[in-house]
Amino acid sequence: MTATTDDALLDPLFDRRFKGYPRTRPPMRRSEIGQAGWHVLAGDLPLPLAVIKREALEHNLAWMQARVRQWGIDLAPHGKTTMSPQLFRRQLDAGAWGLTFATVTQLAVGVAAGARRTLIANQVVNDEDLAGIQMLLREHADLRVVFLVDSQAQLALIEDWAGRHDESLPFEVMLEIGVEGGRTGCRTREEAIAVATALHRSPAVRLVGIECYEGLGATGETGPDTRYADALMDRVEAVARHCDAQGLFEGGEVIVSAGGSAIFDLVAGRLKPALKAGVRGILRSGCYVTHDHGFYKRMLRAVDQRLGCPCEDGGESLRAAMEVWAMVQSRPEPGLAILAVGKRDISFDLSLPVPIARAARGSLAPEAVPADWKITGLNDQHAYLRWDDAASPQAPVVGDRIGLGISHPCTTFDKWHWMPVVEQDYRVSDAVSMHF
Amino acid sequence: MTATTDDALLDPLFDRRFKGYPRTRPPMRRSEIGQAGWHVLAGDLPLPLAVIKREALEHNLAWMQARVRQWGIDLAPHGKTTMSPQLFRRQLDAGAWGLTFATVTQLAVGVAAGARRTLIANQVVNDEDLAGIQMLLREHADLRVVFLVDSQAQLALIEDWAGRHDESLPFEVMLEIGVEGGRTGCRTREEAIAVATALHRSPAVRLVGIECYEGLGATGETGPDTRYADALMDRVEAVARHCDAQGLFEGGEVIVSAGGSAIFDLVAGRLKPALKAGVRGILRSGCYVTHDHGFYKRMLRAVDQRLGCPCEDGGESLRAAMEVWAMVQSRPEPGLAILAVGKRDISFDLSLPVPIARAARGSLAPEAVPADWKITGLNDQHAYLRWDDAASPQAPVVGDRIGLGISHPCTTFDKWHWMPVVEQDYRVSDAVSMHF
């Protein structure tokens, strides 16, 4: 590993052991894939295959960056979505302030990919994790790592570790505010202030910000989502003001952070509360990068309405940039096709995949599929595609290629080691790797 | 790749980018891990961590091999469960006739791990896949690959490919018999015989067997499961007898194959129908290798009853050999602990993980957990552990390590690149790698 980035991480060698890599081609570096002249619909790559559409990807990167600029805040996209060093670089190159991770293993990949301002949007409690952060900080003098604390019990574990490691640097931490019935984070103002006070007093840590995650409460309905986000951000702001007034924050500026990809617009305007200290508002959305055809598409309808998208100039908001292509392997009954793609290849945790296109054998031109085509189930390696009109002349046949939209990018990315990046016509122009 | 096995595949180098690898240790080969002196409960490895218990693994390997020996059939375990070259070797060393795969990418990993008799329990339809099989056959003169055909449409695609590749060897295929309302496979006797006849006539393929998959119909109730398996195997046998009588099978022996891991005992006795040709009955169970604490545990209760296990000598049947350990990161509300483990780390497709043990911070001796502890939900990186008695003195605390049983081995294996193999006391004695 060099002092800056790890070339092998950014430009790994792919071979036929990588799912989706052409079986009869020699191993090739990621940077060479775009010159190989491959075309997904010409059958140059085996199916199933997850692909990223370059134009939609670049649109999304630019769109979200423009939004945070407009809102006067910064973006530290959640890297756990993609765990792709090349996508991390694209996000940083597009102007992201830094990157967010969920674990120290993810952080190490991000740092190797060049990230230097990093958040861990999670409690760190484990000796091995604390040691791992210290090691990265020692290896990279310009690295910043900020993680979450939500209890004095957690602080006690950090202090215990620090007490056994005299040479360690203080950990930068943010106080997490949570929601009753939700996940992590302090539930009450009293508890939050008690934790903040303990963090301020502890030599093991530096309290540099305050944080929450609003995404789990999102419904896609503007009324309840607005009330929910406002109530949460009111609590964050009240605790932030108290900590600010009491001088509990340390360092030159206070980080105020929130943000999944479902109702990010409802928290974005609340990330710069008026404090005595300077404030850096940081949004952590991750799924925006490829967006989807399922859960986030549904959530974005309300976001679009609130933001007035598509805008008068026709500019749209996020576009679905990921598709998984699979082949019909069997047509065993009327109204049923079995596709060679399954739980190992595509997300199924928020909803099932959505058939969006079909390319007949030999065709380079995909067509939209009838609205009654549905994926009704997945096994480990198979998908069930059904349609209403069992006798339809449009019915899929064995050998057809079916393009599937996904629901939830995180759980499709983690099923692949690499994905080709394709142009509008499915010509392969680049590739990315994933490191879960 | 050597002519036999690929050393780098069997003995890969692990480093801190592998989830679960100690962050502060130098990279190490798999074969060195057992000598590192690590202990999971001593905190030598970061959590979450999936571990395989050596004694249970070895028991399962021997138990299933003894069963098929008793039944007079062979085992070609489904490799898609683990995709682990080291576990493939253990299965072959335990006496497995060969290995089964779902895709050609999986097949290539298995062949590199040393498999030479292989089944693809799936339709192969894709040009790239057909070419990949031919390439492997050319690379390994002793390799046998048999895949499934269930339609003349599929055969036409194979013939089309073979017509464009004069030098190709005939593909060995089995006829698949399916179930109405099920997945792949011929639904009627007429259809099956028509496909078999076409396969027999085609120079592109050699019909060497007949196959079905009974696992999707399993309920865990002996009455309906027996009727279901018998009806399916009756149909397989009837078609097999017809093909045998008509001389449609080619080669010295006829493969008759079935078998998932849920009701394998109900099909095992039906894999040697009396044919004129010699018959090789092959069971393809995959999940038996680690078994689980969820879906397959429930299914095995009925298997045990039918087989009379535990036997009079006290010998038990399959044991759960996989656990995922995670740390309590937050105790935000009474009756709720958040564990640092999620959809990225553990299966959730058949049922949620099951808390089975707790090791307090510093303790090397895990204790069983109260029966009211339940995992009630998973996010990408978090699990929700709840219990009834919110004021219980036994309640978990931040820093506790919780051992989780899994439900469905396939979808936990595919979330890891390596797993340590542990002794009963959680000392690390070996490791395996996964190649999904």
Side-chain angles (χ1 to χ4, degrees):
Chain A
M1 202 178 302
T2 70
T4 52
T5 61
D6 183 328
D7 292 342
L9 189 75
L10 286 167
D11 198 21
L13 192 68
F14 299 140
D15 65 30
R16 63 179 175 176
R17 299 232 186 93
F18 284 71
K19 189 170 62 169
Y21 191 88
R23 310 183 187 298
T24 51
R25 302 295 179 110
M28 212 177 282
R29 293 220 163 269
R30 184 203 60 79
S31 55
E32 299 168 315
I33 301 277
Q35 278 77 56
W38 296 343
H39 192 300
V40 172
L41 298 180
D44 293 323
L45 303 103
L47 303 184
L49 186 70
V51 303
I52 295 177
K53 304 188 86 164
R54 183 185 57 79
E55 287 182 9
L57 170 71
E58 291 176 356
H59 168 84
N60 293 346
L61 291 167
W63 186 88
M64 188 60 99
Q65 201 62 48
R67 292 292 77 66
V68 297
R69 206 161 38 234
Q70 202 173 43
W71 288 321
I73 58 176
D74 283 295
L75 187 64
H78 210 316
K80 65 134 184 169
T81 296
T82 72
M83 283 311 296
S84 169
Q86 300 82 24
L87 294 176
F88 293 166
R89 293 307 294 265
R90 281 185 181 250
Q91 290 174 308
L92 292 169
D93 291 348
W97 174 84
L99 290 173
T100 300
F101 301 97
T103 69
V104 177
T105 298
Q106 293 177 0
L107 170 72
V109 174
V111 171
R116 289 298 176 268
R117 297 183 191 125
T118 66
L119 309 180
I120 298 181
N122 219 350
Q123 280 70 35
V124 177
V125 283
N126 203 316
D127 281 6
E128 260 291 315
D129 289 338
L130 295 166
I133 291 173
Q134 289 286 333
M135 193 170 77
L136 288 169
L137 291 173
R138 281 196 304 275
E139 289 173 353
H140 305 281
D142 55 345
L143 176 63
R144 192 170 175 196
V145 181
V146 182
F147 65 80
L148 309 188
V149 177
D150 72 349
S151 71
Q152 301 196 52
Q154 182 197 352
L155 175 59
L157 296 181
I158 298 166
E159 288 182 324
D160 177 70
W161 186 89
R164 286 178 281 125
H165 297 84
D166 290 343
E167 75 297 354
S168 66
L169 299 163
F171 292 100
E172 290 195 281
V173 300
M174 290 191 281
L175 176 66
E176 185 175 28
I177 305 298
V179 174
E180 195 66 35
R183 197 163 68 190
T184 49
C186 297
R187 300 305 200 243
T188 67
R189 176 191 164 95
E190 294 65 39
E191 191 188 344
I193 289 171
V195 174
T197 305
L199 292 170
H200 176 69
R201 285 186 189 143
S202 173
V205 299
R206 299 177 66 237
L207 178 62
V208 301
I210 187 163
E211 187 268 2
C212 70
Y213 173 54
E214 81 295 341
L216 288 173
T219 66
E221 300 288 330
T222 289
D225 285 351
T226 304
R227 286 189 291 278
Y228 170 83
D230 279 346
L232 175 56
M233 297 312 295
D234 285 347
R235 293 175 51 228
V236 170
E237 185 166 334
V239 175
R241 283 176 183 276
H242 178 92
C243 294
D244 182 51
Q246 299 295 312
L248 302 184
F249 290 122
E250 298 170 75
E253 64 182 10
V254 176
I255 297 174
V256 180
S257 175
S261 299
I263 52 170
F264 54 90
D265 62 310
L266 293 177
V267 296
R270 303 296 303 273
L271 298 179
K272 296 279 284 243
L275 303 184
K276 287 186 296 180
V279 172
R280 183 172 299 276
I282 301 180
L283 197 69
R284 302 192 308 272
S285 315
C287 290
Y288 79 95
V289 64
T290 62
H291 197 52
D292 72 16
H293 286 91
F295 177 78
Y296 286 103
K297 179 181 177 181
R298 289 192 290 279
M299 291 291 143
L300 200 72
R301 285 191 200 122
V303 176
D304 279 354
Q305 276 190 332
R306 293 190 294 264
L307 297 182
C309 299
C311 314
E312 285 175 12
D313 62 2
E316 52 179 340
S317 63
L318 299 173
R319 299 180 196 164
M322 192 188 288
E323 297 172 4
V324 177
W325 282 80
M327 192 170 272
V328 177
Q329 67 177 86
S330 183
R331 274 286 318 275
E333 293 176 16
L336 172 65
I338 304 296
L339 311 186
V341 62
K343 292 180 196 169
R344 252 70 187 271
D345 311 304
I346 194 163
S347 29
F348 57 90
D349 57 317
L350 297 186
S351 46
L352 287 170
V354 185
I356 52 173
R358 178 245 303 264
R361 182 173 166 78
S363 166
L364 297 183
E367 303 154 20
V369 301
D372 63 333
W373 287 24
K374 298 266 184 314
I375 299 294
T376 60
L378 292 179
N379 298 149
D380 286 0
Q381 313 276 168
H382 299 89
Y384 296 74
L385 169 62
R386 295 182 195 270
W387 57 96
D388 297 332
D389 179 5
S392 166
Q394 293 184 298
V397 301
V398 174
D400 274 357
R401 284 84 49 86
I402 309 294
L404 300 171
I406 64 157
S407 181
H408 196 186
C410 300
T411 44
T412 295
F413 271 111
D414 67 13
K415 292 172 174 57
W416 296 85
H417 298 298
W418 80 294
M419 291 183 192
V421 175
V422 300
E423 302 301 297
Q424 276 301 104
D425 63 357
Y426 294 93
R427 198 167 40 80
V428 176
S429 57
D430 194 2
V432 299
S433 59
M434 273 67 71
H435 294 265
F436 284 96
Chain B
M1 203 180 300
T2 71
T4 53
T5 61
D6 184 328
D7 292 341
L9 190 75
L10 286 167
D11 198 20
L13 193 66
F14 300 139
D15 66 31
R16 63 181 176 174
R17 301 234 184 92
F18 284 70
K19 188 170 64 168
Y21 191 87
R23 309 184 188 298
T24 50
R25 303 295 179 109
M28 213 178 279
R29 292 222 164 268
R30 184 203 60 80
S31 55
E32 300 168 314
I33 301 276
Q35 279 76 56
W38 296 342
H39 192 299
V40 172
L41 299 180
D44 293 324
L45 302 103
L47 304 183
L49 186 71
V51 303
I52 295 177
K53 304 188 86 165
R54 183 185 57 80
E55 286 182 11
L57 170 71
E58 291 177 357
H59 168 83
N60 293 346
L61 290 167
W63 186 87
M64 188 61 98
Q65 201 60 47
R67 291 292 78 66
V68 297
R69 205 160 40 233
Q70 203 173 43
W71 288 321
I73 57 177
D74 283 296
L75 186 65
H78 210 315
K80 65 134 186 170
T81 297
T82 73
M83 283 312 293
S84 169
Q86 299 82 26
L87 293 176
F88 294 165
R89 293 306 294 264
R90 280 184 181 252
Q91 291 173 310
L92 293 169
D93 291 347
W97 175 85
L99 290 173
T100 300
F101 302 97
T103 69
V104 177
T105 299
Q106 292 177 0
L107 170 71
V109 174
V111 171
R116 289 299 175 268
R117 297 183 190 124
T118 66
L119 310 179
I120 297 181
N122 219 350
Q123 282 68 36
V124 178
V125 283
N126 203 316
D127 280 7
E128 261 291 316
D129 289 337
L130 295 166
I133 290 172
Q134 289 288 332
M135 192 170 77
L136 287 168
L137 291 173
R138 281 196 304 275
E139 289 174 352
H140 303 280
D142 55 345
L143 175 64
R144 191 170 177 198
V145 181
V146 183
F147 66 80
L148 309 188
V149 176
D150 72 349
S151 70
Q152 300 195 55
Q154 181 196 352
L155 175 59
L157 296 181
I158 299 166
E159 288 181 325
D160 177 70
W161 186 89
R164 287 178 279 125
H165 297 85
D166 290 344
E167 75 297 355
S168 65
L169 300 162
F171 293 99
E172 290 195 281
V173 301
M174 290 191 282
L175 176 66
E176 184 174 30
I177 305 298
V179 175
E180 195 67 35
R183 196 163 68 192
T184 48
C186 297
R187 300 304 200 243
T188 67
R189 177 190 164 95
E190 294 64 39
E191 191 188 343
I193 290 170
V195 174
T197 306
L199 291 169
H200 176 70
R201 285 186 190 142
S202 173
V205 299
R206 299 176 68 235
L207 178 61
V208 301
I210 187 164
E211 187 270 359
C212 71
Y213 173 54
E214 81 295 342
L216 287 173
T219 66
E221 300 287 329
T222 288
D225 285 351
T226 303
R227 287 190 292 278
Y228 170 82
D230 278 346
L232 174 57
M233 297 311 295
D234 285 348
R235 292 175 50 228
V236 170
E237 185 165 335
V239 175
R241 283 176 183 278
H242 178 93
C243 294
D244 182 51
Q246 298 294 312
L248 302 184
F249 289 121
E250 297 170 77
E253 65 183 10
V254 176
I255 295 175
V256 180
S257 176
S261 299
I263 53 170
F264 54 90
D265 62 309
L266 293 177
V267 296
R270 303 295 304 272
L271 298 180
K272 296 278 284 239
L275 302 185
K276 286 187 296 180
V279 173
R280 184 172 298 275
I282 301 181
L283 198 68
R284 302 191 309 273
S285 315
C287 290
Y288 80 94
V289 64
T290 61
H291 197 53
D292 71 16
H293 285 90
F295 178 78
Y296 286 103
K297 178 181 177 180
R298 288 192 291 279
M299 290 292 143
L300 200 72
R301 285 191 199 120
V303 176
D304 279 354
Q305 275 190 333
R306 293 190 293 264
L307 297 182
C309 298
C311 314
E312 284 174 13
D313 62 3
E316 52 178 340
S317 64
L318 299 173
R319 299 180 196 164
M322 191 188 289
E323 298 172 5
V324 178
W325 282 79
M327 192 171 271
V328 177
Q329 68 178 84
S330 182
R331 274 286 319 276
E333 292 177 15
L336 173 63
I338 303 298
L339 311 186
V341 61
K343 292 180 197 170
R344 252 68 187 273
D345 311 303
I346 194 161
S347 29
F348 57 91
D349 56 319
L350 297 187
S351 46
L352 288 170
V354 185
I356 51 172
R358 178 245 304 265
R361 182 174 165 78
S363 166
L364 297 183
E367 304 154 19
V369 302
D372 63 335
W373 287 24
K374 299 267 184 315
I375 299 293
T376 60
L378 292 178
N379 297 149
D380 286 1
Q381 313 277 167
H382 300 90
Y384 297 74
L385 170 62
R386 294 183 196 269
W387 57 96
D388 297 332
D389 179 5
S392 167
Q394 293 184 299
V397 299
V398 175
D400 275 357
R401 284 84 49 87
I402 309 294
L404 300 171
I406 64 157
S407 181
H408 197 185
C410 300
T411 45
T412 295
F413 270 111
D414 67 13
K415 292 172 174 57
W416 296 85
H417 298 297
W418 80 295
M419 291 183 192
V421 175
V422 300
E423 301 301 297
Q424 276 302 104
D425 63 358
Y426 293 93
R427 199 167 39 80
V428 176
S429 57
D430 195 2
V432 298
S433 59
M434 273 68 70
H435 295 264
F436 283 95

